[in-house]
Amino acid sequence: MAKHYLPENLPNHIQHYIDGKFVDSVSEATFDVLDPVSNTNYATAAAGQAEDIDLAVAAARNAFRNGPWPKMKPRERARILNRIADAVESQENRLAELETFDTGLPITQAKGQALRAAENFRFFADLIVAQFDNAMKVPGAQINYVNRKPIGVAGLITPWNTPFMLESWKLAPALATGNTVVLKPAEFTPLSASLWAQIFKDAGLPDGVFNLVNGLGEEAGDALVKHPDVPLISFTGETTTGQTIFRNAAANLKGLSMELGGKSPCVIFADADLDAAIDSALFGVFSLNGERCTAGSRILVERAIYDEFCERYAARAKNIVVGDPHDPKTQVGALVHPEHYAKVASYVEIGKGEGRLLAGGGRPEGLETGNYIAPTVFADVKPEARIFQEEIFGPVVAITPFENDDEALALANGVKYGLAAYIWTQDLTRAHNFAQNVEAGMVWLNSHNVRDLRTPFGGVKASGLGHEGGYRSIDFYTDQQAVHITLGTVHTPKFGA
């Protein structure tokens, strides 16, 4: 049985943060928060309702209209963002410890998330200082220039996988561009989100610029999406929730950025560097407990190397260390919540009727409690199988053979999702042609999932709407206002003269 580790100074109650103060729900409603190793409740959290969202939005709207934040010079905002980054870095160990406790992510993987969160703030601090806008001139006749303006209150709805880091993806550009925000973190993992409030206050962020409302998606999240004073919604999460948000945002014609689910292919050709491809294909689906939107959860392997690949891949998967998330040796920890565990376990059972089980297949020996699933590998999976088509979001992978490039492309594109794709081949021409023809917002060639913060992040088809990252985030969180000036004589038709 996994040892149950408890971080020091755990809160037993998690509150909202509205207009610079920690508060409970107006109704005093709460929900229970559990840790995924013991599946026991360690805290209650304030459960936000429409009236709590109203208060948070009112605070954010007042800070936007009457506060200093939107009017600050970019350098002044950048200084505060850099202080936030310093604070996140200085708390790396504490953040990682709480994130691991709350999510079940292995501690070694949680540590990297804190540093990445800090880097997001540094990156956007640099970007807003370097930002310049276009001027278009017709000498002697006209000049046109672009004014970038923050839009207002941004509603940010974040998921439970790597929550702190994914919150930073949205918070950093939204704040950098001068907006104010209301953050609704995932109800499964509210612990690390509660740390932002003190970090921001200590860094000098004015009250009301950052507001946090905990709660269920169908209550707090729904109220935020429908609020008439929230012109922007950035959402990361599951596709069917994204469709609901899309419908509910339509009445107010809100700006939407949605990073949704994935069922990404990892395509391995016979000429690939097989050692490197195996390393990447294992990491791509079993890191972060398989709870990652960009997971390469469908591995497509050219027939000539298929049997060797399956054998070597399964042998490695059986060796993956599953256990206590706080143990540095652990590679796969506990899934986030019993509800999610039940979903993943049901797909494992479905897979037993759809493919040849090569590794895993259920709960690992010796881990009778907690949300543990052994890394599970199915081979010979047909493209119509549910485990090929549907996002599982856990340590479960489907392997399928292909005969040629055309079949590989058809298999890669044969699902409703289109977030990421991983391609392994030494043939340069094939690599670039395949990358351009695969239906994915992001492609990694002979690489695992590493991303430069300047590049766009987003998917196509059922995997998303719009892009964030780099200047795409600046575009999303600002209005671009064109200003036109005539230089010289104005020639206007003289109606009615």
Side-chain angles (χ1 to χ4, degrees):
M1 179 175 165
K3 169 174 71 77
H4 191 219
Y5 175 92
L6 284 174
E8 288 181 8
N9 302 318
L10 265 182
N12 55 24
H13 182 58
I14 297 168
Q15 295 179 293
H16 311 309
Y17 184 75
I18 298 174
D19 207 13
K21 298 180 186 66
F22 287 102
V23 293
D24 280 320
S25 293
V26 173
S27 67
E28 299 185 354
T30 64
F31 62 95
D32 290 329
V33 187
L34 55 76
D35 80 89
V37 170
S38 71
N39 280 333
T40 55
N41 297 323
Y42 69 87
T44 54
Q49 313 292 316
E51 59 268 26
D52 304 300
I53 291 289
D54 286 345
L55 291 171
V57 172
R61 189 168 156 84
N62 181 56
F64 184 76
R65 290 193 153 180
N66 304 314
W69 187 249
K71 302 176 189 70
M72 277 187 189
K73 291 185 173 65
R75 174 68 72 190
E76 292 173 334
R77 284 205 298 268
R79 284 197 181 103
I80 290 176
L81 294 176
N82 275 312
R83 287 203 288 270
I84 292 166
D86 291 341
V88 171
E89 273 186 359
S90 72
Q91 295 180 49
E92 182 201 359
N93 290 336
R94 173 68 172 167
L95 276 169
E97 178 185 49
L98 294 180
E99 198 81 309
T100 290
F101 176 76
D102 206 23
T103 64
L105 290 177
I107 186 73
T108 51
Q109 294 166 43
K111 280 191 174 171
Q113 305 298 324
L115 294 178
R116 186 70 161 178
E119 184 55 32
N120 280 317
F121 279 91
R122 291 201 199 290
F123 175 83
F124 284 104
D126 291 343
L127 208 57
I128 54 163
V129 171
Q131 169 73 40
F132 62 92
D133 291 311
N134 296 325
M136 286 67 68
K137 301 168 190 166
V138 183
Q142 196 181 47
I143 183 168
N144 312 273
Y145 68 90
V146 176
N147 242 342
R148 265 187 199 273
K149 305 199 290 187
I151 294 173
V153 180
L156 312 179
I157 302 175
T158 51
W160 45 254
N161 61 324
T162 66
F164 191 82
M165 193 275 288
L166 288 177
E167 287 150 13
S168 76
W169 270 21
K170 300 180 189 301
L171 287 165
L175 295 174
T177 46
N179 298 283
T180 59
V181 303
V182 177
L183 170 66
K184 205 299 280 185
E187 57 263 31
F188 285 174
T189 55
L191 183 58
S192 61
S194 65
L195 299 173
W196 286 116
Q198 200 60 49
I199 288 171
F200 288 154
K201 201 172 190 75
D202 292 347
L205 194 72
D207 289 347
V209 174
F210 167 75
N211 304 275
L212 165 73
V213 178
N214 291 295
L216 309 183
E218 54 270 32
E219 295 173 355
D222 186 62
L224 185 58
V225 168
K226 290 175 177 169
H227 203 292
D229 293 333
V230 180
L232 287 179
I233 296 289
S234 177
F235 169 73
T236 299
E238 193 259 336
T239 296
T240 50
T241 309
Q243 290 168 321
T244 303
I245 289 173
F246 204 154
R247 280 193 294 273
N248 290 339
N252 290 301
L253 297 174
K254 293 178 190 262
L256 285 178
S257 173
M258 297 203 286
E259 194 262 280
L260 306 176
K263 191 72 178 176
S264 300
C266 175
V267 186
I268 301 171
F269 289 92
D271 67 344
D273 176 340
L274 197 54
D275 291 340
I278 287 171
D279 286 344
S280 177
L282 284 156
F283 181 85
V285 75
F286 297 129
S287 59
L288 304 181
N289 298 349
E291 297 167 325
R292 58 186 309 157
C293 50
T294 53
S297 54
R298 294 180 299 135
I299 304 178
L300 312 176
V301 185
E302 193 166 359
R303 176 70 72 182
I305 58 165
Y306 182 73
D307 290 341
E308 181 191 354
F309 179 88
C310 287
E311 186 181 335
R312 290 178 59 186
Y313 189 90
R316 289 275 296 275
K318 289 174 185 170
N319 279 339
I320 289 172
V321 179
V322 185
D324 175 16
H326 292 276
D327 185 338
K329 292 194 283 293
T330 293
Q331 294 168 316
V332 170
L335 298 184
V336 69
H337 191 276
E339 278 177 34
H340 185 60
Y341 170 85
K343 176 196 159 186
V344 176
S346 75
Y347 274 108
V348 171
E349 293 311 306
I350 290 165
K352 289 173 183 176
E354 293 185 332
R356 178 163 55 98
L357 181 65
L358 299 185
R363 184 180 283 281
E365 282 182 31
L367 294 170
E368 280 71 40
T369 57
N371 305 320
Y372 292 103
I373 285 185
T376 298
V377 180
F378 292 106
D380 312 340
V381 179
K382 299 279 192 292
E384 61 274 13
R386 287 185 64 187
I387 61 166
F388 187 97
Q389 292 289 333
E390 298 173 20
E391 184 176 41
I392 298 172
F393 220 64
V396 182
V397 70
I399 310 179
T400 302
F402 65 85
E403 300 295 342
N404 54 45
D405 292 35
D406 288 344
E407 188 185 6
L409 186 66
L411 287 168
N413 290 342
V415 298
K416 70 177 183 177
Y417 296 104
L419 189 57
Y422 307 86
I423 300 161
W424 289 86
T425 177
Q426 300 292 346
D427 183 329
L428 198 62
T429 304
R430 168 199 276 154
H432 289 295
N433 283 328
F434 201 99
Q436 286 171 32
N437 289 317
V438 73
E439 293 165 353
M442 299 169 285
V443 181
W444 279 270
L445 297 178
N446 298 327
S447 166
H448 74 287
N449 187 325
V450 288
R451 182 181 152 259
D452 188 302
L453 289 175
R454 293 170 293 186
T455 59
F457 189 101
V460 297
K461 302 198 299 191
S463 285
L465 181 77
H467 288 84
E468 293 190 46
Y471 283 111
R472 282 82 176 177
S473 292
I474 303 280
D475 287 343
F476 177 68
Y477 291 106
T478 56
D479 278 325
Q480 297 178 55
Q481 178 192 58
V483 180
H484 309 276
I485 308 138
T486 300
L487 305 174
T489 309
V490 179
H491 298 289
T492 309
K494 297 186 184 298
F495 277 32

